[in-house]
Amino acid sequence: MDKQTAQSRIQALHEQLNQYNYEYYVLDNPSVPDSEYDRLMQELIQIEEAFPELKSADSPSQRVGGQVLDAFQKVEHRIPMLSLGNAFNEQDLRDFDRRVKQVVGENVQYTVELKIDGLAVSLRYENGVFVQGATRGDGTTGEDITENLKTIRSIPLRLKKDVTLEVRGEAFMPKKSFEALNEERSKLNEEPFANPRNAAAGSLRQLDPKIAAKRNLDIFVYSIADIGETGVTSHSEGLQLLDELGFKTNKERRLCQSIDEVISLLDEFVQRRPELPYEIDGLVIKVDQLNQQEELGYTAKSPRWAIAYKFPAEEVVTKLVDIELTVGRTGVLTPTAILEPVRVAGTTVKRASLHNEDLIREKDIKIGDTVVIKKAGDIIPEVVNVLVEKRTGDERDFHMPKECPECGSELVRIEGEVALRCVNPKCPAQIREGLIHFVSRNAMNIDGLGERVITQLFNHQLIDDVADLYKLERGQLLNLERMGEKSTDNLLNAIERSKENSLERLIFGLGIRHVGEKAAKTLAEQFETMDRLQQATKEDLVAINEIGEKMADSIVTYFANDEVSEVIQELKDLGLNMAYKGVKREESLSDSYFSGKTIVLTGKYESMSRNEAKAQIEALGGKVTGSVSAKTDLVIAGEAAGSKLTKAQELNIEVWDEARMLQEFQS
Ligand code: IVH
């Protein structure tokens, strides 16, 4: 094939593949079998391999995921990506309607759309070609995730007209794909995603587009950023134009003549929510006429012409089939409701903590009851109430046992506490929970060692104490259920890496009563080595500002125990680092900007967790606190920063974005 023939064949394949892709992913109405699409795609890839110079950025072959990136580039949004004010009930919507009418008069139409629960993205097209896609970021600056977005089949790489424009939409993971992904992750011993939104965000934040390509993401485009330049006069016409250009818009939208009509839709969508193939968390209500939108304008954060109606937390009914007791790391017994599995807010729920016996009495919960459950903050399942009228008489009262269900020793109630406790230090449940704590993210942070693997190792008697973790052999791990070669090697590497952790992780991981993460840090900073901490007297300890009597007693008692000394000696012999690797506070009065300042971290950062950012800032001499006040020097706002950011702005406190923080870390 000569170059000219290749060129024209490529052109024809582009058109054919784009059309099939559009029919399949946007219209949901394919005209050819998948095999035909695959055949043409293979042909295209082959020609492009033979003539690499003919491979263009908008080639349909780009959808399989190209080059791995080192980092995402920053993108300044030409038009800021704002968020929406919230309405939680009918009254909030009526207030919104009143505010709108005060400005534009009585004649208002509203478009009502589904509020898709995903991740806002911006897509730029030049002369009809998709050239750049970005995350929202802080609204002003986002990240360039073009390569990942190209893998979303419903995003056109070339529009039906050669226009230049920027559109906004919500990228999301359909419920089915989410379930399949989590199933696969659990097979591979990977932590499942909490909900489809996190899964979508996690997928689009991968530097390797091949991962995003496998995740079956989708998009609904909901607005044209520079709509003023398109000639349309209303938002609903804008949506129509998006359809005509080949975008996928959500067809559930309605044009309403009054706020009453809007309100009459709320129930309908609450009812239909569980049946939709994607997650929604509310409705978005927008003034339809563009000239009215313009008149209404914007506040600092959001348009005055739109509002988000948030659904109340989804509540579902199920049966409470049993109450199980779990013994925690400190011996506290927690009752857990075992539920008939039920879907709520994006995942299947089988258990819900009941916290303690008092709560069971307060809510009058019996085994066999029909109960209403919801997810608090859309994450943590809880029993809301019992449907007493559904009782049949077969329900049973629940009583706390007198003995520990795991080791049989007598339970005690510590004065002033609601909880019952097993005080046997050899209780297997406590040992197992202690091991789970040791490997957890904020302690030794051993990837791939979660509750499930620890429980298996413990049940197979491969580990009895934390030192045993460092003696595990490849063969032993390979014998475990669901452990392949690759996960075994990953796990062994993670265990090995954890040996280098700075001392505070080890101190926290040991699980000394009353010693939390923060105290562990202080102890590591002050004593610098495990030896010195082990030898510390109560006086040495209480001399430190943050350490009280109760904690000091607990630390001294802990290290006086012979078994503890033995385990620590063993850990040393196994090669674990026993020294603090951070910077001492006094020494860090460097020229770092953070030094001596009080800083609040809020929102989600893309390059690191808040905990990691906190550690770095502290190492540079800054103090990180939880709430914004007049004493705060600086707020560092990540994505989806909320009330703390607003407060900072009100108090005129300096606000940085993540990029600025990273810059400071590197300087
Ligand atoms: S319109 C000026 N329409 O909800 C902002 N947003 O806080 C205009 N969202 O960040 C947003 N579905 O990610 C709009 N049909 C829809 C939406 C929608 C989901 C998200 C969007 C935005 C957030 C609002």
Side-chain angles (χ1 to χ4, degrees):
M1 192 186 284
D2 65 23
K3 193 162 166 182
Q4 190 133 32
T5 323
Q7 174 83 66
S8 64
R9 184 64 190 143
I10 283 181
Q11 173 81 23
L13 286 167
H14 277 200
E15 276 165 29
Q16 201 49 250
L17 285 163
N18 282 340
Q19 179 59 22
Y20 291 158
N21 194 71
Y22 176 71
E23 289 167 356
Y24 191 104
Y25 291 99
V26 179
L27 303 181
D28 199 10
N29 186 18
S31 66
V32 291
D34 293 0
S35 55
E36 176 64 6
Y37 181 89
D38 294 343
R39 194 179 64 75
L40 297 179
M41 179 66 90
Q42 280 318 312
E43 187 187 342
L44 174 62
I45 291 172
Q46 270 166 17
I47 303 178
E48 283 177 343
E49 270 167 12
F51 299 92
E53 69 277 20
L54 296 180
K55 184 162 152 183
S56 64
D58 65 336
S59 167
S61 66
Q62 296 298 301
R63 297 210 184 264
V64 292
Q67 286 271 306
V68 180
L69 306 175
D70 294 329
F72 295 120
Q73 299 295 314
K74 297 281 163 206
V75 177
E76 290 275 325
H77 297 301
R78 301 173 192 212
I79 301 164
M81 289 182 80
L82 301 176
S83 60
L84 293 173
N86 287 328
F88 295 98
N89 50 44
E90 217 181 289
Q91 190 54 48
D92 293 347
L93 289 175
R94 293 194 187 282
D95 291 345
F96 166 70
D97 180 51
R98 197 173 26 76
R99 291 195 299 272
V100 166
K101 286 183 172 156
Q102 268 168 8
V103 178
V104 302
E106 290 297 311
N107 187 8
V108 184
Q109 287 87 45
Y110 294 110
T111 323
V112 176
E113 291 167 20
L114 302 184
K115 186 169 186 299
I116 312 296
D117 199 8
L119 168 92
V121 296
S122 184
L123 311 174
R124 272 193 60 72
Y125 288 80
E126 278 169 17
N127 301 319
V129 176
F130 176 48
V131 291
Q132 189 174 59
T135 60
R136 177 172 182 274
D138 62 2
T140 315
T141 316
E143 282 185 318
D144 186 333
I145 53 164
T146 312
E147 293 310 312
N148 284 337
L149 289 171
K150 278 185 183 168
T151 70
I152 301 183
R153 302 294 179 114
S154 45
I155 293 183
L157 299 180
R158 174 172 273 285
L159 300 178
K160 293 185 183 292
K161 292 181 194 151
D162 289 347
V163 287
T164 295
L165 87 174
E166 184 164 323
V167 302
R168 304 277 159 84
E170 195 83 353
F172 64 94
M173 186 177 286
K175 289 178 185 171
K176 276 222 172 78
S177 316
F178 169 72
E179 272 163 37
L181 173 63
N182 266 357
E183 213 162 281
E184 187 191 312
R185 287 178 76 85
S186 88
K187 274 189 203 139
L188 293 170
N189 273 331
E190 290 169 13
E191 194 69 20
F193 286 108
N195 51 47
R197 181 191 41 229
N198 290 2
S203 307
L204 287 175
R205 241 182 244 131
Q206 298 285 339
L207 291 164
D208 180 358
K210 288 212 170 48
I211 300 179
K214 281 194 218 131
R215 295 280 172 88
N216 288 318
L217 299 171
D218 204 343
I219 193 167
F220 285 121
V221 172
Y222 53 64
S223 72
I224 304 174
D226 35 17
I227 192 164
E229 286 149 45
T230 59
V232 303
T233 60
S234 67
H235 175 66
S236 47
E237 277 172 37
L239 290 171
Q240 240 166 39
L241 175 59
L242 287 170
D243 283 333
E244 286 159 18
L245 290 172
F247 288 106
K248 180 163 174 175
T249 62
N250 188 283
K251 300 301 179 297
E252 299 289 349
R253 57 185 185 255
R254 310 280 172 88
L255 188 59
C256 293
Q257 299 302 322
S258 68
I259 202 71
D260 282 324
E261 202 182 328
V262 172
I263 288 168
S264 74
L265 292 174
L266 303 183
D267 257 359
E268 178 189 331
F269 282 113
V270 170
Q271 299 297 327
R272 290 187 45 207
R273 182 182 185 189
E275 294 149 28
L276 293 169
Y278 42 81
E279 290 294 340
I280 58 173
D281 59 346
L283 301 175
V284 182
I285 295 103
K286 303 173 183 175
V287 170
D288 196 48
Q289 289 298 318
L290 295 189
N291 57 1
Q292 293 184 332
Q293 289 191 1
E294 225 164 281
E295 246 184 288
L296 284 154
Y298 298 82
T299 69
K301 280 196 319 187
S302 50
R304 289 201 186 85
W305 44 263
I307 196 160
Y309 170 77
K310 292 283 187 87
F311 290 139
E314 189 187 347
E315 296 193 342
V316 296
V317 172
T318 189
K319 221 178 171 96
L320 186 155
V321 289
D322 202 359
I323 294 179
E324 224 175 67
L325 287 164
T326 47
V327 183
R329 176 166 64 88
T330 58
V332 171
L333 260 75
T334 310
T336 302
I338 307 300
L339 306 164
E340 251 169 33
V342 61
R343 271 194 77 83
V344 54
T347 56
T348 302
V349 169
K350 301 178 194 138
R351 309 161 65 87
S353 175
L354 296 170
H355 303 287
N356 54 53
E357 197 177 3
D358 287 11
L359 186 120
I360 298 176
R361 300 279 163 264
E362 259 163 45
K363 296 200 167 170
D364 184 26
I365 295 171
K366 294 180 197 282
I367 297 171
D369 266 337
T370 304
V371 291
V372 175
I373 69 159
K374 70 168 181 186
K375 280 200 205 154
D378 266 356
I379 307 266
I380 302 159
E382 75 178 38
V383 174
V384 182
N385 60 278
V386 171
L387 297 178
V388 180
E389 67 277 14
K390 294 263 163 102
R391 283 193 177 149
T392 61
D394 291 339
E395 295 75 18
R396 286 180 289 124
D397 276 329
F398 169 78
H399 295 286
M400 283 301 241
K402 301 251 177 305
E403 283 126 30
C404 172
E406 298 265 359
C407 71
S409 57
E410 199 179 332
L411 298 174
V412 294
R413 188 179 297 260
I414 311 252
E415 270 217 18
E417 285 183 18
V418 192
L420 275 177
R421 214 183 267 279
C422 166
V423 290
N424 170 16
K426 297 245 153 78
C427 172
Q430 288 180 54
I431 296 174
R432 190 186 60 230
E433 292 301 314
L435 287 161
I436 293 171
H437 169 75
F438 184 81
V439 302
S440 66
R441 175 145 332 152
N442 293 344
M444 294 299 273
N445 190 23
I446 306 183
D447 251 2
L449 257 190
E451 182 165 343
R452 204 174 55 77
V453 180
I454 289 281
T455 306
Q456 279 192 65
L457 291 168
F458 187 75
N459 291 347
H460 284 78
Q461 297 176 344
L462 293 174
I463 50 171
D464 237 349
D465 60 33
V466 297
D468 292 340
L469 286 170
Y470 294 92
K471 300 180 206 156
L472 287 170
E473 283 163 17
R474 201 160 182 278
Q476 295 174 318
L477 291 172
L478 277 172
N479 274 335
L480 298 179
E481 234 175 277
R482 291 209 247 163
M483 280 293 267
E485 301 255 345
K486 187 148 177 248
S487 32
T488 298
D489 289 337
N490 287 345
L491 181 53
L492 286 170
N493 284 335
I495 294 176
E496 196 57 31
R497 268 200 311 276
S498 75
K499 290 183 176 173
E500 299 307 321
N501 283 339
S502 180
L503 179 62
E504 65 277 17
R505 285 186 174 273
L506 178 57
I507 299 175
F508 177 57
L510 290 173
I512 309 166
R513 288 279 303 272
H514 307 302
V515 178
E517 220 186 317
K518 194 157 171 237
K521 179 84 196 286
T522 306
L523 293 169
E525 233 170 36
Q526 294 293 326
F527 293 97
E528 292 181 328
T529 66
M530 184 62 95
D531 277 339
R532 290 177 51 192
L533 174 62
Q534 281 174 287
Q535 285 153 23
T537 62
K538 183 172 174 186
E539 289 67 40
D540 295 337
L541 288 161
V542 290
I544 301 167
N545 240 343
E546 291 101 325
I547 312 278
E549 291 243 341
K550 201 159 128 186
M551 204 196 300
D553 279 334
S554 162
I555 295 167
V556 172
T557 316
Y558 180 82
F559 286 114
N561 183 313
D562 285 344
E563 279 175 48
V564 167
S565 311
E566 268 168 42
V567 171
I568 292 177
Q569 186 56 49
E570 247 187 297
L571 290 175
K572 253 186 233 172
D573 297 342
L574 287 161
L576 270 80
N577 166 56
M578 296 278 158
Y580 180 54
K581 291 187 169 177
V583 185
K584 266 202 92 165
R585 250 182 264 174
E586 292 85 344
E587 290 165 12
S588 70
L589 294 171
S590 56
D591 51 2
S592 160
Y593 178 90
F594 299 122
S595 171
K597 292 212 166 65
T598 302
I599 295 145
V600 173
L601 306 180
T602 179
K604 208 173 161 68
Y605 305 133
E606 312 219 327
S607 56
M608 61 177 73
S609 69
R610 276 216 298 272
N611 271 340
E612 285 161 336
K614 177 169 181 254
Q616 294 215 35
I617 290 172
E618 285 174 353
L620 291 167
K623 188 170 143 198
V624 175
T625 62
S627 58
V628 177
S629 73
K631 291 200 189 107
T632 309
D633 295 304
L634 172 68
V635 170
I636 305 179
E639 195 157 349
S643 61
K644 290 183 191 177
L645 177 57
T646 320
K647 182 112 189 258
Q649 283 158 346
E650 279 165 18
L651 295 173
N652 235 338
I653 291 167
E654 184 168 8
V655 177
W656 283 10
D657 64 7
E658 180 179 350
R660 179 69 186 85
M661 168 176 82
L662 293 178
Q663 204 184 337
E664 192 61 38
F665 286 161
Q666 277 147 21
S667 71

Short mmCIF file of all heavy atoms in Angstrom, two decimals, residues 80-86 113-121 136 169-170 222-223 281 284 286 298 301-303 305-306 308, ligand 1:
data_model
loop_
_atom_site.label_atom_id
_atom_site.label_comp_id
_atom_site.label_asym_id
_atom_site.label_seq_id
_atom_site.Cartn_x
_atom_site.Cartn_y
_atom_site.Cartn_z
N PRO A 80 -14.26 29.61 34.24
CA PRO A 80 -14.14 28.82 35.46
C PRO A 80 -15.21 27.73 35.56
O PRO A 80 -16.30 27.87 35.01
CB PRO A 80 -14.31 29.85 36.58
CG PRO A 80 -14.70 31.13 35.95
CD PRO A 80 -14.46 31.04 34.48
N MET A 81 -14.88 26.65 36.25
CA MET A 81 -15.85 25.57 36.47
C MET A 81 -16.43 25.77 37.86
O MET A 81 -15.78 25.47 38.86
CB MET A 81 -15.18 24.21 36.34
CG MET A 81 -14.80 23.88 34.91
SD MET A 81 -14.07 22.25 34.77
CE MET A 81 -15.51 21.17 34.80
N LEU A 82 -17.63 26.26 37.91
CA LEU A 82 -18.22 26.60 39.20
C LEU A 82 -18.96 25.40 39.78
O LEU A 82 -19.06 24.36 39.15
CB LEU A 82 -19.19 27.77 39.01
CG LEU A 82 -18.54 29.02 38.45
CD1 LEU A 82 -19.58 30.10 38.20
CD2 LEU A 82 -17.45 29.54 39.38
N SER A 83 -19.46 25.58 41.01
CA SER A 83 -20.31 24.51 41.54
C SER A 83 -21.71 25.08 41.74
O SER A 83 -21.98 26.20 41.32
CB SER A 83 -19.73 23.97 42.84
OG SER A 83 -19.66 25.00 43.77
N LEU A 84 -22.57 24.33 42.37
CA LEU A 84 -23.97 24.76 42.49
C LEU A 84 -24.35 24.92 43.95
O LEU A 84 -23.86 24.19 44.81
CB LEU A 84 -24.88 23.71 41.87
CG LEU A 84 -24.80 23.52 40.36
CD1 LEU A 84 -25.64 22.32 39.94
CD2 LEU A 84 -25.29 24.77 39.64
N GLY A 85 -25.25 25.85 44.21
CA GLY A 85 -25.86 25.93 45.53
C GLY A 85 -26.79 24.74 45.70
O GLY A 85 -27.21 24.13 44.72
N ASN A 86 -27.11 24.39 46.97
CA ASN A 86 -27.92 23.21 47.22
C ASN A 86 -29.31 23.55 47.74
O ASN A 86 -29.48 24.52 48.48
CB ASN A 86 -27.25 22.34 48.28
CG ASN A 86 -26.04 21.64 47.72
OD1 ASN A 86 -26.01 21.31 46.53
ND2 ASN A 86 -25.05 21.43 48.55
N GLU A 113 -32.71 18.58 35.20
CA GLU A 113 -31.85 17.48 34.73
C GLU A 113 -31.47 16.59 35.90
O GLU A 113 -31.51 17.03 37.04
CB GLU A 113 -30.54 18.05 34.15
CG GLU A 113 -30.73 18.80 32.88
CD GLU A 113 -29.48 19.61 32.52
OE1 GLU A 113 -28.38 19.30 33.04
OE2 GLU A 113 -29.61 20.55 31.75
N LEU A 114 -31.04 15.39 35.58
CA LEU A 114 -30.52 14.53 36.64
C LEU A 114 -29.16 15.05 37.08
O LEU A 114 -28.38 15.52 36.25
CB LEU A 114 -30.38 13.10 36.13
CG LEU A 114 -31.64 12.45 35.61
CD1 LEU A 114 -31.38 11.00 35.23
CD2 LEU A 114 -32.75 12.54 36.65
N LYS A 115 -28.91 14.96 38.36
CA LYS A 115 -27.58 15.33 38.85
C LYS A 115 -26.77 14.03 38.91
O LYS A 115 -26.95 13.21 39.81
CB LYS A 115 -27.65 16.00 40.22
CG LYS A 115 -26.32 16.52 40.68
CD LYS A 115 -26.48 17.41 41.90
CE LYS A 115 -25.17 18.06 42.28
NZ LYS A 115 -24.12 17.08 42.63
N ILE A 116 -25.95 13.85 37.91
CA ILE A 116 -25.18 12.61 37.78
C ILE A 116 -24.06 12.60 38.81
O ILE A 116 -23.37 13.61 39.01
CB ILE A 116 -24.55 12.52 36.37
CG1 ILE A 116 -25.59 12.83 35.28
CG2 ILE A 116 -23.88 11.18 36.14
CD1 ILE A 116 -26.72 11.86 35.18
N ASP A 117 -23.89 11.46 39.48
CA ASP A 117 -22.89 11.40 40.54
C ASP A 117 -21.58 10.85 39.99
O ASP A 117 -21.33 9.66 39.98
CB ASP A 117 -23.41 10.50 41.67
CG ASP A 117 -22.65 10.76 42.95
OD1 ASP A 117 -21.86 11.72 42.99
OD2 ASP A 117 -22.86 10.01 43.92
N GLY A 118 -20.77 11.76 39.50
CA GLY A 118 -19.49 11.35 38.93
C GLY A 118 -18.49 12.45 39.16
O GLY A 118 -18.35 12.94 40.28
N LEU A 119 -17.85 12.87 38.09
CA LEU A 119 -16.74 13.79 38.22
C LEU A 119 -16.85 14.79 37.07
O LEU A 119 -16.98 14.39 35.91
CB LEU A 119 -15.51 12.92 38.09
CG LEU A 119 -14.14 13.43 37.91
CD1 LEU A 119 -13.53 13.58 39.30
CD2 LEU A 119 -13.38 12.34 37.17
N ALA A 120 -16.85 16.08 37.41
CA ALA A 120 -17.04 17.10 36.38
C ALA A 120 -15.80 17.18 35.50
O ALA A 120 -14.67 17.19 35.99
CB ALA A 120 -17.29 18.45 37.03
N VAL A 121 -16.02 17.23 34.19
CA VAL A 121 -14.89 17.38 33.28
C VAL A 121 -15.21 18.43 32.23
O VAL A 121 -16.37 18.75 31.97
CB VAL A 121 -14.51 16.06 32.57
CG1 VAL A 121 -14.04 15.02 33.57
CG2 VAL A 121 -15.66 15.52 31.74
N ARG A 136 -12.02 19.28 37.03
CA ARG A 136 -12.44 20.57 37.55
C ARG A 136 -11.33 21.22 38.39
O ARG A 136 -11.13 22.43 38.34
CB ARG A 136 -13.70 20.37 38.40
CG ARG A 136 -14.18 21.63 39.04
CD ARG A 136 -15.52 21.40 39.71
NE ARG A 136 -15.99 22.64 40.28
CZ ARG A 136 -15.65 23.08 41.48
NH1 ARG A 136 -14.88 22.35 42.24
NH2 ARG A 136 -16.10 24.23 41.92
N GLY A 169 -19.30 18.35 31.29
CA GLY A 169 -20.15 17.19 31.53
C GLY A 169 -19.69 16.41 32.74
O GLY A 169 -18.72 16.79 33.41
N GLU A 170 -20.40 15.34 33.00
CA GLU A 170 -20.08 14.51 34.15
C GLU A 170 -19.63 13.14 33.65
O GLU A 170 -20.39 12.44 32.97
CB GLU A 170 -21.34 14.38 35.03
CG GLU A 170 -21.09 13.87 36.41
CD GLU A 170 -20.65 14.95 37.40
OE1 GLU A 170 -20.41 16.11 36.98
OE2 GLU A 170 -20.52 14.62 38.59
N TYR A 222 -23.48 18.20 29.83
CA TYR A 222 -24.65 18.97 30.26
C TYR A 222 -24.60 20.47 29.96
O TYR A 222 -25.56 21.17 30.25
CB TYR A 222 -24.97 18.74 31.73
CG TYR A 222 -23.80 18.96 32.69
CD1 TYR A 222 -23.22 20.20 32.85
CD2 TYR A 222 -23.31 17.89 33.44
CE1 TYR A 222 -22.17 20.39 33.71
CE2 TYR A 222 -22.25 18.08 34.32
CZ TYR A 222 -21.69 19.32 34.45
OH TYR A 222 -20.64 19.51 35.30
N SER A 223 -23.48 20.96 29.43
CA SER A 223 -23.53 22.37 29.04
C SER A 223 -22.41 22.76 28.09
O SER A 223 -21.40 22.06 27.97
CB SER A 223 -23.51 23.28 30.27
OG SER A 223 -22.24 23.26 30.86
N ASP A 281 -27.40 11.83 42.42
CA ASP A 281 -27.58 12.23 43.82
C ASP A 281 -28.54 13.40 43.96
O ASP A 281 -28.66 13.98 45.02
CB ASP A 281 -26.23 12.51 44.49
CG ASP A 281 -25.45 13.60 43.80
OD1 ASP A 281 -25.80 13.96 42.67
OD2 ASP A 281 -24.48 14.09 44.40
N VAL A 284 -30.74 18.83 38.95
CA VAL A 284 -30.23 20.19 38.78
C VAL A 284 -31.31 21.00 38.08
O VAL A 284 -31.87 20.56 37.07
CB VAL A 284 -28.93 20.20 37.95
CG1 VAL A 284 -28.40 21.64 37.84
CG2 VAL A 284 -27.88 19.30 38.58
N LYS A 286 -32.27 24.52 36.28
CA LYS A 286 -31.60 25.65 35.62
C LYS A 286 -32.63 26.57 34.96
O LYS A 286 -33.54 26.07 34.28
CB LYS A 286 -30.64 25.14 34.54
CG LYS A 286 -29.59 24.17 35.06
CD LYS A 286 -28.77 23.56 33.93
CE LYS A 286 -27.79 22.53 34.51
NZ LYS A 286 -27.03 21.81 33.49
N TYR A 298 -23.72 35.54 38.68
CA TYR A 298 -23.03 34.55 39.50
C TYR A 298 -22.68 35.10 40.87
O TYR A 298 -22.44 36.29 41.02
CB TYR A 298 -21.71 34.14 38.83
CG TYR A 298 -21.92 33.51 37.49
CD1 TYR A 298 -22.12 34.29 36.35
CD2 TYR A 298 -21.93 32.13 37.36
CE1 TYR A 298 -22.32 33.71 35.11
CE2 TYR A 298 -22.14 31.53 36.12
CZ TYR A 298 -22.33 32.33 35.01
OH TYR A 298 -22.54 31.75 33.79
N LYS A 301 -19.01 31.60 43.83
CA LYS A 301 -18.83 30.16 43.65
C LYS A 301 -19.77 29.53 42.65
O LYS A 301 -19.49 28.47 42.11
CB LYS A 301 -19.09 29.45 45.00
CG LYS A 301 -17.93 29.52 45.96
CD LYS A 301 -18.09 28.49 47.06
CE LYS A 301 -19.51 28.39 47.56
NZ LYS A 301 -19.68 27.54 48.72
N SER A 302 -20.96 30.12 42.49
CA SER A 302 -21.96 29.40 41.71
C SER A 302 -22.91 30.35 40.98
O SER A 302 -23.05 31.51 41.37
CB SER A 302 -22.76 28.49 42.63
OG SER A 302 -23.21 29.22 43.74
N PRO A 303 -23.55 29.83 39.94
CA PRO A 303 -24.49 30.68 39.21
C PRO A 303 -25.75 30.92 40.04
O PRO A 303 -26.16 30.04 40.80
CB PRO A 303 -24.83 29.84 37.98
CG PRO A 303 -24.48 28.43 38.31
CD PRO A 303 -23.44 28.47 39.37
N TRP A 305 -28.51 31.28 38.60
CA TRP A 305 -29.61 30.80 37.75
C TRP A 305 -29.80 29.29 37.84
O TRP A 305 -30.58 28.71 37.08
CB TRP A 305 -29.39 31.23 36.30
CG TRP A 305 -27.98 31.04 35.77
CD1 TRP A 305 -27.01 31.99 35.71
CD2 TRP A 305 -27.40 29.84 35.26
NE1 TRP A 305 -25.85 31.46 35.18
CE2 TRP A 305 -26.07 30.14 34.90
CE3 TRP A 305 -27.87 28.54 35.06
CZ2 TRP A 305 -25.19 29.20 34.36
CZ3 TRP A 305 -26.99 27.59 34.53
CH2 TRP A 305 -25.67 27.92 34.19
N ALA A 306 -29.07 28.63 38.73
CA ALA A 306 -29.22 27.17 38.85
C ALA A 306 -29.08 26.75 40.30
O ALA A 306 -28.47 27.46 41.12
CB ALA A 306 -28.18 26.46 37.99
N ALA A 308 -28.90 22.88 42.84
CA ALA A 308 -28.93 21.42 42.89
C ALA A 308 -29.89 20.99 43.98
O ALA A 308 -29.76 21.43 45.12
CB ALA A 308 -27.53 20.88 43.17
S1 IVH B 1 -24.58 22.12 35.86
C1 IVH B 1 -22.04 26.06 37.20
N1 IVH B 1 -25.74 19.84 35.45
O1 IVH B 1 -22.81 18.75 40.01
C2 IVH B 1 -22.07 24.60 37.45
N2 IVH B 1 -23.96 19.90 37.01
O2 IVH B 1 -22.01 21.33 42.14
C3 IVH B 1 -22.99 23.98 36.46
N3 IVH B 1 -23.42 17.74 37.97
O3 IVH B 1 -19.67 20.16 39.63
C4 IVH B 1 -23.16 22.58 36.73
N4 IVH B 1 -24.95 16.58 36.89
O4 IVH B 1 -20.10 18.05 38.38
C5 IVH B 1 -24.79 20.49 36.13
N5 IVH B 1 -26.88 17.90 34.94
C6 IVH B 1 -25.92 18.52 35.61
C7 IVH B 1 -25.07 17.87 36.51
C8 IVH B 1 -24.10 18.60 37.19
C9 IVH B 1 -23.95 16.53 37.77
C10 IVH B 1 -22.34 18.04 38.92
C11 IVH B 1 -21.23 18.85 38.35
C12 IVH B 1 -21.01 20.02 39.29
C13 IVH B 1 -21.82 19.62 40.48
C14 IVH B 1 -22.56 20.82 41.03
#
